[in-house]
Amino acid sequence: MSVYIFHVLIMMGIYAILALSLNIIVGFAGLVSLGHAAFFGIGAYVSGLLMINGLGFPAAFFLSGIITSLLGLCLALPSLRVKDDYLAIVTLGFGIIIGLVFLNLEITGGADGLVGIPPVSLMGKPLYSKPGFFGLVAGVLVVMIVTMYTLKQSKIGRAWAAIRDNDVSAAFMGINVYGYKTMAFITSSFWAGLAGSLYAHYTAYINPHTFNMHTSIMVLSMVVLGGIGSITGSILGAVLLILLPEILRPLADYQDIFYGALLVAMMIFRPQGIMGRVKITEMFGRKK
Amino acid sequence: MLQVRNLHIYYGQIQAVKGASLHVKPGEIVALIGGNGAGKSTILRAISGIVKSTSGSILLSDTEISSLPPERILKNGIGHVPEGRRLFRGLTVHDNLMLGAYSRNDSARIKNDIETMELLFPILGKRRKQLAGTLSGGEQQMLAMARTLMARPRMLLLDEPSMGLAPIITSQIYEKIGLLNKNEGLSILLVEQNAKLALKLAHRGYVIETGRVVMEGPTSELRESNEIQRAYLGKGYREVWE
């Protein structure tokens, strides 16, 4: 039983990192991305392949983030010349292309996927225990949350807020709009790559099916459900959307209907997301 | 201070500016007047780097700036108050001012400058925590100007500060523009549809028609010109606003 609970907790943690990373693009910089699963997948495959080929865990982990962020840069450079609906379509296309690449490359194992990914090893010892792995995921998540809060308060965060509110005015204020949008994609894909790496070493087996459009939409739902731009919201969104299928499991074949209906109801009755504009620090802080 | 020479600007296939030349001396207010679509705003946008010119040169204190990105031009001292204000409507008045100072790194003096702005435009101090989108038109124009001034420019490009404002508010805004010029020695390049107002405040003026400068001179001369009286001032119209 506790193994199952830790499995769910680990998935929540990984998806929370993924949702937070997407929140940098969607919530902080006010852009759209419908291909976020591609970055998740790139991180997973890169990390898996590096470790299969003999690299140690910490190195494979960081390299997966760095290589994914380079691909984020490759996506950002051409696609950030368009915005809004057009950017949505470009990122959607990117997601589909990367999915097809996973499916057709020899090195990724094609449709069979990548088998035999070594487990995480820290200080020479493989980490098999689920609570241990959860500790690792939670650690990465905490570092990420701190990074996100720091980013939000920083000069970069203010530039993103300006671009989100009005990108033309931001240019008038001397903000390099294109540069900061690109930076949002790079930062976001870096963390998505790390989430992918954790996922790959946790499941020990990955296939292209995990990184398709369905995942992209699900991660976006986590961000929107939690409240766009809210750090706490993205985490809550991930917790909820991972937890729901588990709770709804007794409904068997009807599970997806309830899942969908809940999402629709949520958007009707609380369109701003769970957290909305409220910050958790304000909720527990002083009250007037 | 600023010299624009033989400027050509295209929007795709359409030529918006066809060889315009003009200059602004230090401490001068210069007005660009002309009808809709004459290319006035486009010239300002080219100066601040938001729009790239096809050919021609833009010199700021003898430095070519036409190939620089907007953030560099702002750092060189040209601030642009865009047409229609373009505030960060979802952010507070204070945040808007802070973003105006984005190009600066001296946070101690930025705080000081915000106080200066709140003295210059007292309404901004009262509305500090309010979202910019909830301000009235005149307050928004003041915020737009204060926001650009937060970058400490040597020269201000003002695009239609009177747009959509009641005459009494417009005259308040113009009073502030005059003060900024007189007290701070700020050079100002002003684009205005309201030719009467602009020609009253500015020292010199240019008349722009279909992307070309068709007339230029001291505003005292322009006001007397028959052509301008006919086309832009409404000849024989009694100036009741004075």
Side-chain angles (χ1 to χ4, degrees):
Chain A
M1 188 59 197
S2 86
V3 169
Y4 166 72
I5 287 172
F6 274 105
H7 167 75
V8 174
L9 282 175
I10 287 166
M11 293 314 273
M12 282 175 181
I14 290 174
Y15 276 92
I17 295 169
L18 194 57
L20 281 170
S21 73
L22 181 60
N23 203 2
I24 296 174
I25 293 178
V26 178
F28 288 10
L31 305 166
V32 276
S33 173
L34 293 182
H36 209 60
F39 296 130
F40 188 40
I42 291 163
Y45 276 101
V46 166
S47 193
L49 284 168
L50 285 175
M51 266 190 91
I52 287 173
N53 289 299
L55 218 66
F57 174 71
F61 180 65
F62 286 112
L63 273 174
S64 73
I66 288 161
I67 291 171
T68 311
S69 64
L70 287 178
L71 277 144
L73 174 69
C74 294
L75 167 70
L77 288 180
S79 58
L80 287 177
R81 300 200 172 273
V82 296
K83 53 184 183 180
D84 303 332
D85 314 10
Y86 305 99
L87 181 60
I89 293 167
V90 172
T91 53
L92 183 71
F94 175 78
I96 293 170
I97 291 168
I98 296 293
L100 286 173
V101 169
F102 293 152
L103 197 61
N104 289 294
L105 279 188
E106 217 166 284
I107 191 167
T108 59
D112 296 337
L114 203 58
V115 193
I117 300 170
V120 169
S121 56
L122 289 171
M123 294 166 221
K125 273 204 221 154
L127 185 67
Y128 285 118
S129 91
K130 283 203 188 330
F133 197 88
F134 175 69
L136 175 68
V137 171
V140 175
L141 184 59
V142 166
V143 173
M144 181 175 199
I145 292 168
V146 172
T147 314
M148 293 277 285
Y149 272 110
T150 317
L151 265 179
K152 210 174 176 179
Q153 310 295 333
S154 72
K155 203 164 182 188
I156 300 169
R158 281 198 287 135
W160 281 337
I163 291 167
R164 183 182 63 217
D165 196 86
N166 190 330
D167 56 352
V168 181
S169 310
F172 277 107
M173 296 303 105
I175 292 168
N176 182 343
V177 174
Y178 186 61
Y180 277 108
K181 283 183 177 178
T182 308
M183 201 188 288
F185 264 84
I186 294 173
T187 319
S188 171
S189 51
F190 175 80
W191 287 99
L194 295 187
S197 169
L198 290 173
Y199 180 84
H201 299 297
Y202 176 63
T203 56
Y205 164 74
I206 49 177
N207 69 28
H209 191 71
T210 313
F211 311 109
N212 60 14
M213 207 175 80
H214 182 262
T215 307
S216 293
I217 301 293
M218 186 174 75
V219 178
L220 186 62
S221 306
M222 290 170 177
V223 174
V224 176
L225 195 71
I228 293 170
S230 159
I231 294 170
T232 330
S234 288
I235 300 166
L236 275 181
V239 166
L240 212 66
L241 288 196
I242 294 295
L243 201 60
L244 268 183
E246 306 297 333
I247 293 173
L248 296 176
R249 208 162 285 256
L251 296 171
D253 288 351
Y254 299 100
Q255 185 184 324
D256 282 354
I257 297 177
F258 279 90
Y259 185 83
L262 266 169
L263 283 185
V264 172
M266 179 71 200
M267 285 299 103
I268 290 173
F269 295 111
R270 198 163 165 84
Q272 70 272 46
I274 299 170
M275 296 307 292
R277 288 189 71 93
V278 188
K279 289 180 196 141
I280 198 156
T281 43
E282 284 172 7
M283 278 169 66
F284 297 113
R286 69 215 127 78
K287 264 184 189 158
K288 275 181 200 165
Chain B
M1 174 155 209
L2 179 79
Q3 273 182 302
V4 176
R5 289 186 194 143
N6 201 19
L7 193 67
H8 290 262
I9 302 162
Y10 285 84
Y11 285 127
Q13 293 289 306
I14 299 155
Q15 188 169 10
V17 177
K18 303 165 183 168
S21 298
L22 55 95
H23 68 273
V24 181
K25 288 182 241 164
E28 205 178 24
I29 304 182
V30 173
L32 301 184
I33 60 172
N36 277 332
K40 309 182 298 290
S41 294
T42 306
I43 293 173
L44 289 198
R45 285 167 161 259
I47 295 171
S48 62
I50 301 286
V51 167
K52 285 284 156 242
S53 54
T54 313
S55 69
S57 81
I58 303 170
L59 298 168
L60 176 69
S61 311
D62 296 319
T63 317
E64 180 66 50
I65 57 166
S66 61
S67 54
L68 296 181
E71 60 271 17
R72 292 283 305 281
I73 294 175
L74 183 70
K75 278 206 163 164
N76 277 309
I78 297 187
H80 190 161
V81 184
E83 186 176 13
R85 274 74 89 167
R86 288 193 182 274
L87 295 173
F88 300 106
R89 300 178 62 88
L91 305 180
T92 62
V93 168
H94 183 261
D95 287 346
N96 269 272
L97 292 176
M98 285 300 289
L99 281 168
Y102 194 83
S103 54
R104 295 168 53 186
N105 294 313
D106 45 345
S107 52
R109 285 173 64 196
I110 288 173
K111 280 209 180 74
N112 205 22
D113 282 359
I114 286 191
E115 282 165 24
T116 312
M117 286 306 141
E118 289 178 351
L119 278 177
L120 185 64
F121 303 103
I123 194 73
L124 299 183
K126 282 184 206 147
R127 303 258 190 271
R128 194 178 299 155
K129 294 280 165 215
Q130 211 169 308
L131 294 185
T134 64
L135 299 182
S136 74
E139 291 164 359
Q140 290 195 15
Q141 182 60 43
M142 292 182 203
L143 177 55
M145 284 166 52
R147 184 181 62 169
T148 304
L149 289 171
M150 284 301 295
R152 288 200 164 233
R154 287 183 286 154
M155 181 172 183
L156 203 58
L157 310 178
L158 276 171
D159 200 344
E160 302 242 10
S162 74
M163 189 196 247
L165 302 182
I168 182 149
I169 306 291
T170 304
S171 61
Q172 281 173 17
I173 301 265
Y174 266 72
E175 201 180 303
K176 298 286 185 196
I177 299 172
L179 278 178
L180 285 169
N181 172 256
K182 217 176 274 164
N183 300 347
E184 314 287 326
L186 203 62
S187 315
I188 293 169
L189 181 58
L190 172 73
V191 158
E192 189 55 86
Q193 295 257 0
N194 189 333
K196 228 181 280 180
L197 259 177
L199 292 181
K200 194 182 163 216
L201 179 76
H203 304 118
R204 285 189 307 115
Y206 293 86
V207 181
I208 316 283
E209 269 173 26
T210 58
R212 288 189 181 87
V213 175
V214 293
M215 207 184 282
E216 61 179 283
T219 44
S220 53
E221 271 174 36
L222 290 177
R223 278 197 298 259
E224 298 306 314
S225 143
N226 285 333
E227 177 60 20
I228 288 181
Q229 289 202 348
R230 185 192 59 75
Y232 298 105
L233 298 177
K235 197 179 181 181
Y237 188 84
R238 205 160 60 88
E239 298 192 334
V240 284
W241 55 278
E242 273 187 326

